[in-house]
Amino acid sequence: MSATAQARTSVPAIPVRRWILDIVAVTVLLGVSIAGFWPTFAGASYLVAAIGGALLGIAVAAVAAWRRWGILIIAGLTVLAYFLFGGALALPHTAIFGVIPSIDTLQQLAIGVVTSWKQLLTTVAPVSGADGHFIVPFLLMLIIAVVTASLALRLAQPAWALIPAGILLAVVIALGTPEPAVPVIQGAVFALASITWLAVRQIWSPQNAAVSVGEVDPGRANHMRVRRLLSGAVVLAVAAGVGVATSAFTAPAEVRHVLRDTIIPPFNVRDYPSALQSFRGHVRDDADSTLFTVRGLPEGARVRLAAMDEFDGQVINVVDGGPGSSSAFTPIRSNMSPDAEGVPVTLQFDIDEYSDVWVPQAGLVSEFRFSGDDGDALRRGTYYSTGSATAVATAGLGKGDSYTVQTTIPAEYSDEQLAEAEFGAVRLPKNENVPEELTSLAGEIVSDAETPVEQVQALETFLSEDGFFSHGLEGEVISRSGHTAERISTLIGGDQMIGDDEQYAVTMALLAGEIGIPARVVMGFYPDEEQDGAASFTATGDNIRAWVEVNFDGFGWVPFDPTPPEDQVPNDQNTKPRADPKPQVLQPPPPPQEPVDLPPTLPDDRESEDESLNIGGIILAILAIGGITLGIIALLASPFIIIGAWKASRRRSRRTAERTADRIAGGWDELTDRAVDYGARLAPGATRGEEAVLVAESLTVPTVTTLAHRADAEVFGPSDPSPADVEAFWQQVDEIVAGLGSEAGFWKRTKARLSLRSLLVGSAVSNGFQGLKTAAAARVRREPGTIKNSTSDVPESETP
């Protein structure tokens, strides 16, 4: 026997405790990274997909390491696990009974391999798993778990397994949000687990065990190992404590940058015009039109379209404070307002003539449930800001759309309840281009007010009692639409204040902002007093409203109505613009002007940009189609890949057996396996000569009988065959197998390659008998006085 073979046989089997240690260490390292997805999903909803993917990956790696399977089988099993369990773990809403993959499930899993990463990064966090975002943690954990566990279980140096585990930690951070989960704890646990794992593996290594047994008595060796473990634990604990304490003082003040920061999200509230700009249009064109109906609206509740708190001199707009702020817009999900206080109600909205992106709703919404043909598109494209209680549907609402709203209607507060309340400490954007006269006017109005609520009431009273109401429609006093700085200045500076909700609400919000009162403008609908509390409310242009909300500490946003009553109109009709005729004076002709120098004509690059965009879109479409196609092909081919890889692995183990005689026996087994795949019927326990007869009769291969005698001669010979004999034997086996394939048709060859008969019945049934023959052959060479027989080995003393 060669030195290499002796070395191989002397290596002990991997102990069970090391398998347990490696699997536990890999689980801890992967679990540390899983925590990084918490801010992305705003909770633990993703843990089922992530933990399930990690456990599946570890299971695939453990089974493959136990069976010594190669990379092709591991890849096939990973693909199979992805498609079999992806529905239950990542897309339960598409699976049958939430477990069995459907056609839609398989399609989304195949497409998600390519597109899920982009969708996760281009969706404003926190994201919802109902949109397929669970595919990312499931697929990522599955792949990294397979690689990490395979390296840990197969390699003598487990440090290589830390590379994919570290890559996973970095990828989760890159795919996450600027707000980290628990970075200090993640780093400390990852470092402690890695060092502890490497240390224990080093202590348990065969070399250290041999030194301990050979040079030191067992009792002292155990004492030394325990002392090393305790010393290492103390060092790790001190290092972790110092690291955590240091990070508390050296943590960077700036928010970390992630991939999400470099990709423009698909939603930007600035892409849509202010809701208040459509106010006069609804009043003029939709006075008698049913925009939408609401069922279940409580008495005193108001339907909201948008809350606006950022004025730039031209328009007041909805603000998006970005991720982490109270006014951030996020994709709709369940339980969006967990801290809302008030009366929980369910409202049913049915859209009629209303057509806009601002979603009618009321109170503090916890959940939207869209129905109808466009329900899925609306669910995916609707965003909600809990801070401003505003919802935007990027696809736009239209006639026939309907949805249910689970919401909480805040309580109404009396003046007595607000008497001692201070203004809330909320951050609002600074108004720009505000008319200068509003600052002094706001101070004069609230000069006699003593409490915060009295200041707000003073502003409300000034506008509602001193102003006059007019929409500026036919038959009404002229009242220009809009709420620009010039229009607000005209309202305040004129002989009489004339306007409607649009002007008065914006004016009160700007006056409040000038003296530090947190206020915003809300546009929406609410019924008249005689219709308040009815079972169904019909929203029309006649009952559209705009009001002001002021934030009070402990009470939230409280509504105020600065608009004068509709019957409070000016009596003096001379408030209309009057002509101011001037004497006709003959004006001198204007002086001649110099010709204007026109700017040089610049080439129009827009066409080339469009072409480049079209080319980019085509490339992305090709890549998407290619990825989907490859995913479907991989799914369909995974069983065939596993079968082929299994057969290739068994052929390789036979040809590389430690003893050359075993390689000869393995070559014969390879031949009979291929014959079984082509339809030969072999009897269990038959000798090689008997198997050769059956193969020759079934497949008409006469040379196989000669090969069987040669195999017996090599296996049962007085000495091991040489490597040259092995190569010659395998070459002859390959020639016979190739002959079987050349005489068969294409479909028969394909069927034989994919056949499981050789793996399940075939020569596998006689493996025990072949093992006995191999053992007998080895005994023939060790014991003198035996004779060689082609079918059995019998000592001379037992022969007749």
Side-chain angles (χ1 to χ4, degrees):
M1 184 179 295
S2 63
T4 304
Q6 292 177 353
R8 289 177 179 174
T9 57
S10 63
V11 176
I14 298 177
V16 176
R17 67 174 185 176
R18 213 204 81 180
W19 277 68
I20 297 176
L21 171 66
D22 292 344
I23 292 176
V24 170
V26 170
T27 304
V28 172
L29 294 178
L30 297 179
V32 170
S33 300
I34 289 176
F37 276 122
W38 192 282
T40 304
F41 292 89
S45 59
Y46 71 98
L47 287 180
V48 173
I51 296 176
L55 295 179
L56 280 175
I58 293 174
V60 169
V63 173
W66 171 52
R67 301 296 300 172
R68 308 303 298 173
W69 288 335
I71 189 172
L72 288 179
I73 295 182
I74 295 177
L77 289 176
T78 303
V79 173
L80 196 60
Y82 174 71
F83 284 99
L84 284 180
F85 298 96
L89 297 176
L91 298 171
H93 58 283
T94 66
I96 302 172
F97 304 116
V99 177
I100 304 173
S102 63
I103 298 298
D104 185 34
T105 303
L106 298 178
Q107 180 182 7
Q108 290 194 34
L109 287 173
I111 298 175
V113 174
V114 180
T115 62
S116 59
W117 315 94
K118 177 183 176 182
Q119 291 176 355
L120 180 68
L121 291 175
T122 55
T123 301
V124 179
V127 300
S128 173
D131 293 329
H133 295 303
F134 287 159
I135 292 178
V136 172
F138 172 69
L139 178 59
L140 187 62
M141 298 304 299
L142 174 64
I143 294 176
I144 297 298
V146 169
V147 176
T148 305
S150 296
L151 295 176
L153 295 173
R154 291 171 179 261
L155 300 182
Q157 296 296 331
W160 291 103
L162 296 178
I163 296 177
I167 292 175
L168 173 64
L169 186 61
V171 170
V172 171
I173 292 174
L175 295 176
T177 63
E179 294 76 26
V182 281
V184 176
I185 297 178
Q186 280 183 284
V189 173
F190 190 91
L192 290 174
S194 302
I195 297 173
T196 304
W197 180 33
L198 296 180
V200 175
R201 278 289 300 269
Q202 182 66 23
I203 294 173
W204 286 358
S205 64
Q207 295 84 357
N208 288 344
V211 170
S212 299
V213 173
E215 298 180 0
V216 185
D217 63 273
R220 185 171 181 184
N222 291 332
H223 176 71
M224 292 174 60
R225 282 195 291 267
V226 172
R227 188 174 63 180
R228 290 178 184 175
L229 288 175
L230 293 177
S231 301
V234 172
V235 172
L236 290 176
V238 173
V242 173
V244 172
T246 304
S247 63
F249 296 98
T250 61
E254 298 183 358
V255 178
R256 65 178 178 181
H257 295 280
V258 294
L259 290 177
R260 194 180 302 274
D261 297 332
T262 62
I263 299 177
I264 300 176
F267 172 77
N268 184 356
V269 73
R270 293 291 188 176
D271 294 338
Y272 308 98
S274 171
L276 199 59
Q277 289 181 283
S278 63
F279 183 89
R280 191 65 66 89
H282 285 304
V283 171
R284 182 184 64 248
D285 303 330
D286 301 321
D288 299 323
S289 301
T290 298
L291 298 176
F292 57 86
T293 57
V294 188
R295 295 195 298 271
L297 189 67
E299 183 177 357
R302 304 186 180 197
V303 176
R304 316 166 60 87
L305 290 182
M308 297 149 282
D309 51 11
E310 186 176 39
F311 184 77
D312 60 4
Q314 295 296 321
V315 67
I316 191 167
N317 225 324
V318 180
V319 69
D320 185 353
S325 67
S326 61
S327 58
F329 279 86
T330 62
I332 59 173
R333 59 190 186 279
S334 59
N335 197 25
M336 292 185 293
S337 302
D339 300 327
E341 296 181 357
V343 180
V345 296
T346 300
L347 306 178
Q348 174 65 40
F349 287 81
D350 297 305
I351 306 300
D352 197 336
E353 299 297 330
Y354 180 77
S355 178
D356 208 338
V357 298
W358 306 101
V359 180
Q361 32 82 31
L364 300 174
V365 178
S366 295
E367 184 178 4
F368 288 93
R369 290 198 295 268
F370 291 94
S371 57
D373 297 337
D374 299 332
D376 188 63
L378 290 172
R379 178 180 60 82
R380 293 177 181 274
T382 300
Y383 299 81
Y384 183 71
S385 169
T386 55
S388 61
T390 302
V392 180
T394 57
L397 294 173
K399 189 170 185 176
D401 292 331
S402 62
Y403 54 95
T404 302
V405 176
Q406 296 286 346
T407 186
T408 301
I409 304 298
E412 297 183 16
Y413 301 106
S414 63
D415 295 342
E416 291 76 13
Q417 291 175 297
L418 299 172
E420 302 297 331
E422 298 293 333
F423 293 124
V426 295
R427 295 180 58 185
L428 296 178
K430 183 179 180 180
N431 296 323
E432 298 180 356
N433 301 317
V434 179
E436 296 180 357
E437 58 268 27
L438 261 63
T439 303
S440 57
L441 178 61
E444 294 175 4
I445 295 173
V446 302
S447 59
D448 297 332
E450 297 180 356
T451 63
V453 68
E454 289 179 356
Q455 295 179 3
V456 179
Q457 290 171 343
L459 296 176
E460 179 188 37
T461 302
F462 169 77
L463 295 173
S464 62
E465 293 185 359
D466 294 353
F468 296 96
F469 183 90
S470 174
H471 286 311
L473 303 179
E474 185 177 356
E476 297 181 350
V477 177
I478 293 177
S479 173
R480 289 189 294 125
S481 62
H483 53 276
T484 64
E486 182 273 333
R487 177 68 178 93
I488 301 303
S489 181
T490 302
L491 177 74
I492 296 299
D495 295 335
Q496 291 178 310
M497 290 189 297
I498 303 175
D500 57 12
D501 301 55
E502 179 182 6
Q503 292 80 42
Y504 285 109
V506 173
T507 301
M508 179 175 173
L510 295 180
L511 287 170
E514 291 301 293
I515 54 177
I517 298 176
R520 64 189 185 189
V521 176
V522 181
M523 175 177 164
F525 303 82
Y526 57 84
D528 298 330
E529 292 183 2
E530 59 272 13
Q531 298 177 340
D532 196 10
S536 178
F537 165 61
T538 300
T540 66
D542 188 53
N543 51 37
I544 191 170
R545 302 285 190 269
W547 61 91
V548 175
E549 289 184 342
V550 177
N551 190 276
F552 288 91
D553 186 23
F555 297 91
W557 294 95
V558 179
F560 293 87
D561 296 290
T563 305
E566 293 188 8
D567 58 357
Q568 188 169 310
V569 295
N571 294 324
D572 185 6
Q573 297 299 321
N574 292 330
T575 54
K576 298 182 179 180
R578 294 175 296 178
D580 188 9
K582 296 182 179 180
Q584 299 291 332
V585 179
L586 182 63
Q587 300 294 330
Q593 297 180 354
E594 295 292 334
V596 178
D597 294 333
L598 297 177
T601 302
L602 298 177
D604 190 356
D605 295 333
R606 290 176 294 179
E607 183 176 356
S608 61
E609 292 177 359
D610 293 340
E611 292 177 356
S612 64
L613 290 174
N614 291 335
I615 294 174
I618 293 173
I619 293 175
L620 289 176
I622 293 174
L623 292 176
I625 294 173
I628 296 171
T629 304
L630 290 176
I632 295 174
I633 291 175
L635 172 63
L636 298 177
S638 58
F640 309 132
I641 294 174
I642 293 174
I643 293 172
W646 193 349
K647 291 182 178 181
S649 176
R650 193 159 69 168
R651 172 187 170 90
R652 183 171 60 252
S653 63
R654 288 168 173 171
R655 190 156 188 174
T656 59
E658 295 181 4
R659 299 175 61 252
T660 53
D662 292 338
R663 298 176 197 171
I664 295 292
W668 176 257
D669 290 340
E670 186 69 19
L671 173 61
T672 56
D673 280 353
R674 300 291 76 76
V676 168
D677 288 338
Y678 277 100
R681 299 285 182 176
L682 301 183
T687 64
R688 293 189 183 93
E690 293 169 346
E691 289 178 343
V693 173
L694 294 174
V695 172
E697 292 176 353
S698 301
L699 304 176
T700 316
V701 187
T703 57
V704 73
T705 305
T706 304
L707 189 64
H709 292 307
R710 180 177 177 181
D712 283 341
E714 296 290 356
V715 171
F716 297 106
S719 61
D720 284 336
S722 65
D725 294 335
V726 173
E727 292 298 325
F729 184 85
W730 271 89
Q731 183 177 0
Q732 195 169 356
V733 169
D734 292 338
E735 291 175 355
I736 295 175
V737 172
L740 294 176
S742 62
E743 295 178 0
F746 171 77
W747 293 111
K748 189 173 183 179
R749 287 198 304 269
T750 303
K751 181 180 178 181
R753 289 171 182 170
L754 301 178
S755 175
L756 293 173
R757 293 184 65 234
S758 63
L759 299 175
L760 302 178
V761 289
S763 63
V765 176
S766 59
N767 277 343
F769 182 73
Q770 296 291 355
L772 291 175
K773 292 195 295 185
T774 304
R779 191 170 65 251
V780 166
R781 300 186 182 94
R782 291 196 306 267
E783 298 178 2
T786 57
I787 61 174
K788 178 175 69 177
N789 189 287
S790 61
T791 59
S792 62
D793 302 307
V794 184
E796 285 185 351
S797 59
E798 299 179 7
T799 56

